[in-house]
Amino acid sequence: MQTKITLPESSIPDHWYNVVADMPNQPLPYIGPEGQPITPDAMQAIFPPSIIEQEMSGERWIEIPEPVREALKLWRPSPLYRAHRLEQAIGTPARIYYKNESVSPAGSHKPNTAVAQAYYNREAGISHLATETGAGQWGCALSLAGQMFGLQVHIYMVKISYDQKPARRSMMQAWGGEVHSSPSNLTECGRKILDKDPNCSGSLGIAISEAVEEAAGKEDTNYALGSVLNHVLLHQTVIGQEAKAQLALVDEYPDVIFAPCGGGSNFGGIAFPFFADKAAGKEVQLVAVEPTSCPTLTKGTYAWDWGDSAGLTPIMKMYTLGHDFVPPGIHAGGLRYHGASALVSQLYHEGLIDAVSIPQTETFEAGLLFARTEGIIPAPESTHALAAMIREAKSCKESGEQKTLLFNLSGHGHFDLSAYDRFISGELRDEEYSSEAIAASLQNLPNVAFEE
Amino acid sequence: MQTKITLPESSIPDHWYNVVADMPNQPLPYIGPEGQPITPDAMQAIFPPSIIEQEMSGERWIEIPEPVREALKLWRPSPLYRAHRLEQAIGTPARIYYKNESVSPAGSHKPNTAVAQAYYNREAGISHLATETGAGQWGCALSLAGQMFGLQVHIYMVKISYDQKPARRSMMQAWGGEVHSSPSNLTECGRKILDKDPNCSGSLGIAISEAVEEAAGKEDTNYALGSVLNHVLLHQTVIGQEAKAQLALVDEYPDVIFAPCGGGSNFGGIAFPFFADKAAGKEVQLVAVEPTSCPTLTKGTYAWDWGDSAGLTPIMKMYTLGHDFVPPGIHAGGLRYHGASALVSQLYHEGLIDAVSIPQTETFEAGLLFARTEGIIPAPESTHALAAMIREAKSCKESGEQKTLLFNLSGHGHFDLSAYDRFISGELRDEEYSSEAIAASLQNLPNVAFEE
């Protein structure tokens, strides 16, 4: 009985897949502070030329540079698993597969783009990268990548995580990263916030503002983002390409694909290469899964908004809860983001992909079932996709349908065990978002006169 | 440039290799409380028949049951890596390979034997397993295996680790394990120790005594050990067999193999399958690496001694620091054991394998270099093998020798990041053992009249 489908190193994709080429409508531009579409030139303060080109490219295939493929070899191709034990536990006739992205040294899919971004910045003569991190997955990935390509990485880590997750912080430091608690007094926007509230526990939006401010102000420093932007999703498409090749080895093609969706890079990474087939007429359902407490796609508005709190980033047309919205403190820190990738947002708006939201306790119940059947303890972000997939597997049990289901195990939960502890002991609760808070936050969207 | 050498699932070995068949002298028996060799019958109170048979077997190849191979598929075959980046950093002409056992769900090589022991116990109608754990690697592995084969696992966890490593404890609980701080008041020997010293921080020797007492006293409960015994080393030989096959794929054969050595299962696992070649005349050096602070092989005595503190286990002829010896509190908890496998001890005594000891700071320096070149953050146990290997690689640099070096990366350091933190901040010190303590402890060896 085959459990793991592995590929040799030579099967690491040599191109990234750009979903823009197959979208029925071209994506809208990003908008700058004056309300005009942002030009490539305007982005050069914080990004290297190759990244800007990728961000705006309509080419279907973009070649992966050889040094990036070499770096990816440390953990790619990642294995695809058939979840026999989980199927048995559910009693479903569905065939369940999962792509295991937890095998990277940083423990998640994030290094896939981190090594590419580090490479392009080094090629552009940049010596420092500034970034933000919430739960720490992205900060770890970029520290690792910076180390591999000889760049110094500065990480603004959301204060509450900085205090609560010392292991993630140590991990970044082990890879040579320099970690600051955010809001910090190293940036103007950090100081402003601390002036108002010295005990501010921080947010992803604030940390982004700090990192962008540092990058914009220093010649030798660029900014690196771990999700949301087109080039980040592009770099993650190695996941879906490999998964497709692995499924083909066992004569399978998925009926439904599930991935957690915060900024959107994990979802885009596995789903977009299958979207190419869908655009060509093939039937496949692509489901983005988010927390009910931060329901960007399922309860947000499709509108122009900033990617950060301070309004330093470009304005994007996306699903948003408003850039002021502070999501409840669920354990899936990577899904606590007010917005979503413009590409994912547009595809969802056009009805080409699906979205579903899941409450926290259901995700941990799914995570525990997975740990006790498949062995791996999943990250709280991953358990969202898992829980949605289990719903589908149960519905197959009722209907008798033998669907092929695929989900993306975006990372392991080795640094989230206290959350499992709380769930096992019955302390963990579902967190409710406040409709009033979202409504209030949506009052503060920027005015954009751009004609679509 | 090839980095990872992977094997398909079908290449998981179908037999374990028993080194006893190739040892020039047969191993000595275990001795019971009356000074007589222990019979298989006497072991039935705590082990199932198949395990006892394996413990005493002289057969070269022992078949791996199909359900065990199925379980191993969750992470095996583990990848073998060529450490290009590490070689470059050292500037050595040596070719460095490592077997990555950190890919198991529990994060170390320990599940290789845990699934086999759980399987045989279930087959024997046992419903509960009792065991001990120090740093938590073995307790995690057995909890996982118990879950996979439907057994309830009771773990006596050394108190100091129970208090300091809540994540490891949560991991065991996530897999359904029941964890007790040791010494506990659940056993007679635990209560005795607590009576004397209510604040006793515990030791591996004490925890073993507690688990053995529970297993011996309950009909439905057996005992499972994570290292030292012959059958445990046997189950780990999948590592060396796979490594040999993987090296053959790139036309390599190791000149020197390094593995950390506490009880000996990690060393035996990778080294024994190569010992088979050595016994047949091939040249290969096998190096067991231990901490200078717990130098069982390099400073201990080859003598009869108990495996635990309370004297509940059989007496074995082995290298020992005395069963009363409490090693300094180094971070490599898995190497803090007073004794060593009888098989490893005998091979060392006969000059067929080598041993070296390394101070703590050198191991962390090696671990950090590895993290910053190869990406993976190694467990403190693994860094011992790594540090010894780096010494050899540096000596190759001086001599110009192009040796092929192989070391066993026994586990990842995700739960040891505070130790890396201490090393990076300069707080970590080398720990010295006390010669007086060892000398005193060696006064308390049992008297064994058995004629060798």
Side-chain angles (χ1 to χ4, degrees):
Chain A
M1 206 160 68
Q2 190 164 12
T3 294
K4 256 187 336 299
I5 302 147
T6 50
L7 292 172
E9 277 184 3
S10 52
S11 301
I12 294 175
D14 41 31
H15 286 75
W16 290 301
Y17 165 71
N18 184 3
V19 75
V20 171
D22 288 315
M23 285 169 71
N25 298 299
Q26 284 311 287
L28 296 170
Y30 297 159
I31 303 293
E34 280 85 38
Q36 293 305 310
I38 282 193
T39 61
D41 278 3
M43 299 175 84
Q44 287 198 8
I46 58 169
F47 291 123
S50 328
I51 293 281
I52 298 170
E53 199 183 316
Q54 290 176 4
E55 188 62 27
M56 302 193 160
S57 170
E59 288 292 316
R60 181 170 282 108
W61 295 104
I62 294 175
E63 196 174 355
I64 306 180
E66 204 45 42
V68 174
R69 288 186 82 236
E70 281 298 323
L72 292 175
K73 284 182 185 174
L74 280 187
W75 66 96
R76 302 209 74 82
S78 69
L80 182 89
Y81 280 76
R82 169 84 184 267
H84 293 294
R85 286 182 173 78
L86 179 61
E87 290 171 17
Q88 245 181 326
I90 301 172
T92 182
R95 290 183 304 282
I96 299 175
Y97 292 89
Y98 62 95
K99 184 74 169 159
N100 183 2
E101 291 295 309
S102 77
V103 296
S104 81
S108 79
H109 65 296
K110 297 279 183 190
N112 295 331
T113 181
V115 293
Q117 293 190 48
Y119 167 77
Y120 286 122
N121 276 290
R122 191 197 61 183
E123 289 299 289
I126 290 293
S127 60
H128 291 68
L129 288 176
T131 197
E132 73 292 327
T133 201
Q137 296 271 26
W138 170 243
C140 284
L142 198 67
S143 296
L144 169 68
Q147 183 63 238
M148 291 173 79
F149 288 99
L151 293 158
Q152 182 66 42
V153 178
H154 293 177
I155 302 127
Y156 294 88
M157 185 174 189
V158 177
K159 182 171 189 296
I160 189 166
S161 298
Y162 184 92
D163 293 339
Q164 290 178 351
K165 295 203 160 191
R168 275 283 174 203
R169 179 159 40 97
S170 303
M171 202 170 196
M172 293 181 234
Q173 288 163 341
W175 285 316
E178 200 180 303
V179 192
H180 308 292
S181 176
S182 167
S184 76
N185 53 22
L186 298 170
T187 65
E188 204 181 303
C189 68
R191 284 188 295 268
K192 266 192 198 165
I193 289 163
L194 288 174
D195 277 351
K196 274 197 224 166
D197 176 8
N199 297 317
C200 172
S201 64
S203 76
L204 216 44
I206 294 170
I208 295 177
S209 300
E210 290 207 277
V212 169
E213 185 187 320
E214 178 183 340
K218 290 184 186 166
E219 196 63 30
D220 64 354
T221 304
N222 266 347
Y223 173 67
L225 188 67
S227 191
V228 180
L229 295 178
N230 300 359
H231 69 272
V232 182
L233 276 65
L234 177 79
H235 299 157
Q236 292 293 358
T237 58
V238 290
I239 303 174
Q241 291 184 67
E242 285 178 10
K244 207 193 284 191
Q246 286 162 315
L247 285 170
L249 285 178
V250 289
D251 285 322
E252 287 271 27
Y253 192 88
D255 294 300
V256 199
I257 299 176
F258 301 87
C261 192
S265 79
N266 181 40
F267 173 78
I270 194 159
F272 285 177
F274 291 92
F275 182 84
D277 301 338
K278 191 176 168 107
K282 192 143 182 137
E283 264 197 50
V284 53
Q285 197 188 344
L286 309 171
V287 185
V289 190
E290 57 186 18
T292 47
S293 56
C294 187
T296 314
L297 296 172
T298 51
K299 301 277 181 185
T301 298
Y302 190 51
W304 292 99
D305 200 1
W306 284 292
D308 69 330
S309 298
L312 298 181
T313 67
I315 296 167
M316 287 176 286
K317 186 76 178 264
M318 63 178 176
Y319 277 85
T320 179
L321 301 167
H323 60 276
D324 290 337
F325 178 68
V326 179
I330 55 166
H331 284 281
L335 306 183
R336 291 180 69 235
Y337 184 60
H338 69 275
S341 143
L343 298 179
V344 170
S345 294
Q346 182 172 331
L347 290 173
Y348 181 61
H349 187 65
E350 294 176 356
L352 298 167
I353 61 171
D354 296 308
V356 62
S357 76
I358 310 261
Q360 176 159 263
T361 52
E362 185 178 340
T363 69
F364 274 92
E365 193 184 334
L368 207 58
L369 177 63
F370 192 77
R372 292 183 175 180
T373 49
E374 296 296 312
I376 302 166
I377 297 174
E381 292 81 7
S382 312
T383 60
H384 283 75
L386 176 61
M389 194 279 304
I390 289 175
R391 284 187 185 179
E392 180 78 32
K394 284 182 177 169
S395 125
C396 287
K397 185 180 177 179
E398 278 171 30
S399 68
E401 279 178 288
Q402 301 191 328
K403 285 189 182 174
T404 301
L405 310 179
L406 169 64
F407 83 95
N408 202 7
L409 185 77
S410 54
H412 61 63
H414 295 174
F415 301 107
D416 306 283
L417 282 159
S418 62
Y420 278 93
D421 231 17
R422 293 185 64 210
F423 175 71
I424 292 172
S425 64
E427 279 170 51
L428 200 73
R429 297 271 171 274
D430 289 333
E431 300 280 348
E432 295 297 326
Y433 64 88
S434 142
S435 304
E436 295 74 30
I438 293 178
S441 176
L442 289 173
Q443 298 296 320
N444 298 330
L445 296 180
N447 280 322
V448 173
F450 177 74
E451 286 198 22
E452 294 173 23
Chain B
M1 205 161 65
Q2 190 164 13
T3 295
K4 257 188 334 298
I5 302 148
T6 49
L7 292 173
E9 277 184 3
S10 53
S11 301
I12 295 175
D14 40 31
H15 287 75
W16 290 301
Y17 165 71
N18 185 2
V19 75
V20 171
D22 288 315
M23 286 169 71
N25 299 299
Q26 284 311 286
L28 297 169
Y30 298 159
I31 302 294
E34 278 85 39
Q36 292 306 309
I38 282 193
T39 61
D41 277 3
M43 299 175 85
Q44 287 198 9
I46 59 169
F47 292 123
S50 328
I51 293 281
I52 298 170
E53 198 183 316
Q54 289 175 6
E55 187 62 28
M56 302 193 158
S57 170
E59 288 292 316
R60 180 170 284 106
W61 296 103
I62 294 173
E63 196 175 354
I64 306 180
E66 204 44 42
V68 174
R69 288 186 82 236
E70 282 297 323
L72 292 174
K73 285 181 184 173
L74 281 186
W75 66 95
R76 303 210 73 84
S78 69
L80 183 89
Y81 281 75
R82 170 83 184 268
H84 293 294
R85 287 183 172 76
L86 179 61
E87 289 171 16
Q88 243 180 328
I90 301 172
T92 181
R95 290 183 302 285
I96 299 175
Y97 291 89
Y98 62 96
K99 183 74 169 160
N100 183 2
E101 291 295 308
S102 77
V103 297
S104 82
S108 79
H109 66 297
K110 295 280 182 186
N112 295 330
T113 181
V115 292
Q117 294 190 49
Y119 167 77
Y120 287 122
N121 275 289
R122 192 197 60 183
E123 290 298 289
I126 289 295
S127 61
H128 291 68
L129 287 175
T131 197
E132 72 291 328
T133 200
Q137 296 271 26
W138 170 243
C140 284
L142 198 67
S143 296
L144 169 68
Q147 183 64 236
M148 292 173 78
F149 288 99
L151 293 158
Q152 181 66 42
V153 178
H154 292 177
I155 303 126
Y156 293 87
M157 184 173 189
V158 176
K159 182 170 189 297
I160 189 167
S161 299
Y162 184 92
D163 293 339
Q164 290 179 350
K165 295 203 160 191
R168 275 283 175 204
R169 179 160 38 100
S170 304
M171 203 171 196
M172 292 180 235
Q173 287 163 341
W175 285 316
E178 200 180 304
V179 192
H180 308 291
S181 176
S182 167
S184 75
N185 53 22
L186 298 171
T187 64
E188 204 181 304
C189 67
R191 284 188 295 268
K192 266 191 196 162
I193 289 162
L194 288 174
D195 277 351
K196 274 197 220 162
D197 176 8
N199 296 318
C200 172
S201 63
S203 77
L204 217 43
I206 295 171
I208 295 176
S209 299
E210 289 206 279
V212 169
E213 185 186 318
E214 178 183 340
K218 290 185 187 166
E219 195 63 30
D220 64 356
T221 303
N222 266 347
Y223 173 67
L225 189 67
S227 191
V228 181
L229 295 178
N230 300 0
H231 68 273
V232 182
L233 276 65
L234 177 80
H235 299 157
Q236 293 292 358
T237 58
V238 290
I239 303 174
Q241 291 184 67
E242 286 178 9
K244 206 193 283 190
Q246 286 162 317
L247 286 170
L249 285 178
V250 288
D251 286 322
E252 287 272 26
Y253 193 88
D255 295 300
V256 198
I257 299 176
F258 302 87
C261 192
S265 78
N266 181 40
F267 173 78
I270 194 159
F272 285 177
F274 291 92
F275 182 84
D277 302 338
K278 192 177 168 106
K282 192 141 184 140
E283 265 197 49
V284 53
Q285 197 188 344
L286 309 171
V287 185
V289 190
E290 58 185 18
T292 47
S293 56
C294 187
T296 314
L297 296 172
T298 51
K299 301 276 181 186
T301 299
Y302 190 51
W304 292 99
D305 199 2
W306 285 290
D308 68 331
S309 298
L312 298 182
T313 67
I315 297 167
M316 288 175 286
K317 185 75 178 263
M318 63 178 176
Y319 277 86
T320 178
L321 301 166
H323 60 276
D324 289 338
F325 179 68
V326 178
I330 55 166
H331 285 282
L335 306 183
R336 291 180 69 235
Y337 184 60
H338 69 275
S341 143
L343 298 179
V344 170
S345 293
Q346 181 173 330
L347 290 173
Y348 181 61
H349 187 65
E350 294 176 356
L352 297 168
I353 62 171
D354 295 308
V356 61
S357 77
I358 310 260
Q360 175 160 263
T361 53
E362 184 178 340
T363 69
F364 274 92
E365 192 184 335
L368 207 58
L369 176 63
F370 192 77
R372 292 182 175 179
T373 50
E374 297 296 312
I376 301 166
I377 298 173
E381 291 81 6
S382 311
T383 60
H384 284 74
L386 177 61
M389 195 279 304
I390 288 175
R391 284 186 184 179
E392 181 78 33
K394 285 181 176 167
S395 126
C396 286
K397 185 181 178 178
E398 278 172 30
S399 67
E401 280 178 289
Q402 301 190 328
K403 285 189 182 175
T404 301
L405 310 179
L406 168 65
F407 83 94
N408 202 6
L409 184 76
S410 55
H412 62 62
H414 295 175
F415 301 106
D416 305 284
L417 282 158
S418 63
Y420 278 93
D421 231 16
R422 293 185 63 209
F423 175 71
I424 291 171
S425 65
E427 279 169 52
L428 199 73
R429 298 272 171 271
D430 288 333
E431 300 280 347
E432 296 296 326
Y433 63 88
S434 143
S435 304
E436 295 75 29
I438 293 178
S441 175
L442 288 173
Q443 298 298 318
N444 298 330
L445 297 180
N447 281 320
V448 173
F450 177 76
E451 286 198 19
E452 295 174 23

